[in-house]
Amino acid sequence: MVPSCMHGSSRCTDSPPIAIADGSYETCWPSSATWASFNQTLRGRLVATVPLASVCHNSSFGTNDAAACAQLRSVWDYPTTHIDTSSSPMAPFFANMSCDPFTPSTSQCVIGAYVQYAVNATSAAHYQLTLAFAKQHNIRLVIRNTGHDYLGKSTGAGALALWTHHLRDIAVLGSYESPLYRGKAMKFGAGVLNWEAQEVAHAHGLVVVGGNGRTVGVAGGYTQGGGHGPLVSTLGLAADQVLEWEVVTGLWECVSATPTQNADLYWALSGGGGGTYAAVLSLTVKAYPDIKTAAANLTFTSEGVSTRAFYGVVQTFLLSLPAITDSGAVSIWLLAPGFFQVQPTVAPGMTADKLQALLQPTLDALQDNEIPYDYFVADFPTYLDSFYAMNPAPNITQYNIGSRLLPNSLLSSNISAASLVDALAFILDNDGVVSGLSVNVSRIPDVPNAVNPAWRQTIISAVVGIPYNDTSLQANIAGQRQITDGLIPKLDALIPDSGGGGVAAYLNEADFRETDFQRVFYGENYPRLLEIKHKYDPLGIFWATTAVGSEGWRIQEDGRLCRA
């Protein structure tokens, strides 16, 4: 794959030709001198991509280093391996095996699906220069912080990345005041990670809403896409916390967006998806007094017991979720063939005794069926103590995925719960696993935002996965197709068209091949979101897979992003 340009023509055949056979660039691609001049303007902040796995291959980047490659393979699924790079996505599917550590050393190692360059941006001026350069030279632009991204939004063939990772300033605001909020707040630069935000909050006797992953960026797609996590049943989604965005729009303007200033942009950024309206410099959110927290873990398997007994206990647990989430707790669980794990259920402001009472029906069902289990519940003096003790740092997701938001009506009776268990069993019998995050975010925030309304009736955000194949792109394509066409429809069949709003999914953890993503990811908000997109990005600088307005473009087989 060679560096290529976006094309604004109605048909790609009207564009300058791209010569793939001999490896030459498109005629629109900037010369080396132009890139060098741009780097000089940026004072050396332009980063040319060198794939991490180049140490595993003989290529233009160097020769195979077996020891370095073995070491890289051993840590490839750690988020820290990818976070500090400007180009490596954590969802391996979107690297397209361009330069993969698990393929033979004789296989290709090219930039391919990675970004060509990245700008290490630490100011509004860097943002503005990058946007202007991308527009002037008709280059695909992506926004990247850490690479935590299930849908390939932070990478792209022939792209220039606006790399926000080093905007790491954090400020505690003791007396934030606006017409709609008065209280403590925290302001985060676009590159701040969840663990950094939580530790500074903790040091000041505060908590803020953040994700389950320690290294997820706070201000990026996480909050812009809604943002779930251990505190959301008590405090609301991450998007519900937003007080102010500081952004650079598609017209290179640096503006603030609040409920009273550029209110439409504020609304869109708060839950309407990232990477498409503007590039975020900073985010200001509500901060709350720290809180004592109870948390519990539970694991059991089907070894030595009948399938009926195993799934019977799973059903008992599912039926207990309304009481758990209504109490302000969040339960994170995993169901795989013959294996069930809750890790953890987090209950802010609750005692361990109260939490155990909520879990007791499941524990009783395990004992009644003589199923061995591992269980731990404890009180913690602060939220961060519980987070570190009970929420182990996850590796990157080595799965092809799809997802659905499951409405609370599915757990309103034994009959509907049994139907859900049957669908989950079908998924497991067909090579899948299910990761569930159970919440109650039905409380509507004081200031409306663009969060998919389906969230307000959701009790489970269910992610369905099929293992990623390290060496076969075709196997992964087939696996993703199975998710789309075979497994997710089993959940769709359970979801009523009315009440909860029909089929919906969390847009940050979803199937990038979702054909009706406008309705499934954004619900009734989509038409208004599209208007706001066109207002603040009228030149079409921002584009991301399944983002608002993305249907106006299509990716060609040769990697070019062209007008639809």
Side-chain angles (χ1 to χ4, degrees), residues 95-169:
N96 200 31
M97 294 191 171
S98 300
C99 185
D100 195 285
F102 298 100
T103 56
S105 61
T106 54
S107 62
Q108 71 171 8
C109 180
V110 296
I111 292 179
Y114 297 117
V115 299
Q116 286 282 324
Y117 292 93
V119 174
N120 181 3
T122 58
S123 71
H126 297 152
Y127 279 42
Q128 291 163 328
L129 287 168
T130 303
L131 299 184
F133 186 87
K135 183 60 183 175
Q136 177 186 358
H137 296 282
N138 208 27
I139 298 172
R140 179 178 176 182
L141 179 81
V142 301
I143 301 173
R144 175 192 169 88
N145 177 14
T146 65
H148 272 288
D149 172 17
Y150 293 108
L151 288 92
K153 293 183 176 183
S154 61
T155 192
L160 172 64
L162 182 65
W163 189 26
T164 68
H165 187 53
H166 293 102
L167 281 161
R168 305 290 272 274
D169 292 343

Side-chain angles (χ1 to χ4, degrees), residues 300-322:
F300 62 91
T301 73
S302 64
E303 184 177 358
V305 301
S306 68
T307 299
R308 180 179 180 180
F310 176 78
Y311 282 116
V313 177
V314 172
Q315 182 172 329
T316 298
F317 171 78
L318 294 177
L319 285 168
S320 72
L321 288 175

Side-chain angles (χ1 to χ4, degrees), residues 242-500:
V242 178
L243 298 170
E244 184 173 348
W245 299 96
E246 183 184 15
V247 305
V248 175
T249 72
L251 293 173
W252 303 284
E253 296 174 332
C254 185
V255 302
S256 292
T258 73
T260 57
Q261 180 182 7
N262 299 306
D264 54 352
L265 181 58
Y266 165 88
W267 179 84
L269 287 167
S270 304
T276 193
Y277 312 103
V280 171
L281 284 160
S282 71
L283 165 67
T284 303
V285 300
K286 300 173 185 176
Y288 302 88
D290 206 345
I291 189 170
K292 293 180 179 180
T293 301
N297 289 339
L298 172 67
T299 302
F300 62 91
T301 73
S302 64
E303 184 177 358
V305 301
S306 68
T307 299
R308 180 179 180 180
F310 176 78
Y311 282 116
V313 177
V314 172
Q315 182 172 329
T316 298
F317 171 78
L318 294 177
L319 285 168
S320 72
L321 288 175
I324 290 172
T325 58
D326 288 351
S327 73
V330 170
S331 191
I332 303 166
W333 48 272
L334 175 68
L335 178 62
F339 177 85
F340 185 82
Q341 182 177 60
V342 178
Q343 191 175 36
T345 294
V346 180
M350 192 182 299
T351 65
D353 288 343
K354 176 66 181 300
L355 177 56
Q356 175 149 335
L358 293 169
L359 293 169
Q360 196 62 50
T362 303
L363 300 177
D364 290 343
L366 287 165
Q367 292 171 352
D368 291 344
N369 287 278
E370 299 182 345
I371 300 176
Y373 61 90
D374 292 322
Y375 172 70
F376 177 80
V377 63
D379 290 307
F380 297 91
T382 70
Y383 166 69
L384 192 62
D385 288 323
S386 73
F387 183 79
Y388 282 150
M390 304 291 280
N391 200 58
N395 288 341
I396 64 175
T397 298
Q398 296 282 2
Y399 285 88
N400 301 294
I401 71 165
S403 72
R404 284 295 180 260
L405 297 179
L406 304 181
N408 48 31
S409 60
L410 293 183
L411 299 180
S412 61
S413 70
N414 280 306
I415 294 174
S416 57
S419 296
L420 174 56
V421 170
D422 287 344
L424 298 179
F426 175 88
I427 291 169
L428 268 59
D429 289 343
N430 287 272
D431 305 319
V433 300
V434 180
S435 174
L437 182 129
S438 300
V439 299
N440 180 345
V441 294
S442 59
R443 179 178 59 86
I444 306 298
D446 295 336
V447 180
N449 53 41
V451 167
N452 189 333
W455 267 111
R456 306 307 177 182
Q457 289 83 40
T458 290
I459 194 164
I460 300 172
S461 177
V463 178
V464 176
I466 287 179
Y468 179 82
N469 189 307
D470 283 329
T471 58
S472 173
L473 179 61
Q474 292 306 312
N476 291 315
I477 292 172
Q480 193 64 50
R481 186 177 298 116
Q482 184 179 355
I483 289 284
T484 306
D485 301 332
L487 303 188
I488 292 298
K490 287 295 181 180
L491 297 178
D492 290 348
L494 303 176
I495 299 173
D497 291 331
S498 60

Side-chain angles (χ1 to χ4, degrees), residues 52-53 55-56 66-85 88-92 100-102 146 148 215 393-398 470:
L52 278 179
V55 296
C56 298
C69 183
Q71 194 280 330
L72 180 64
R73 288 177 176 177
S74 71
V75 297
W76 188 253
D77 60 349
Y78 294 179
T80 50
T81 301
H82 307 270
I83 283 173
D84 291 329
T85 77
S88 185
M90 292 193 199
D100 195 285
F102 298 100
T146 65
H148 272 288
T215 55
N395 288 341
I396 64 175
T397 298
Q398 296 282 2
D470 283 329

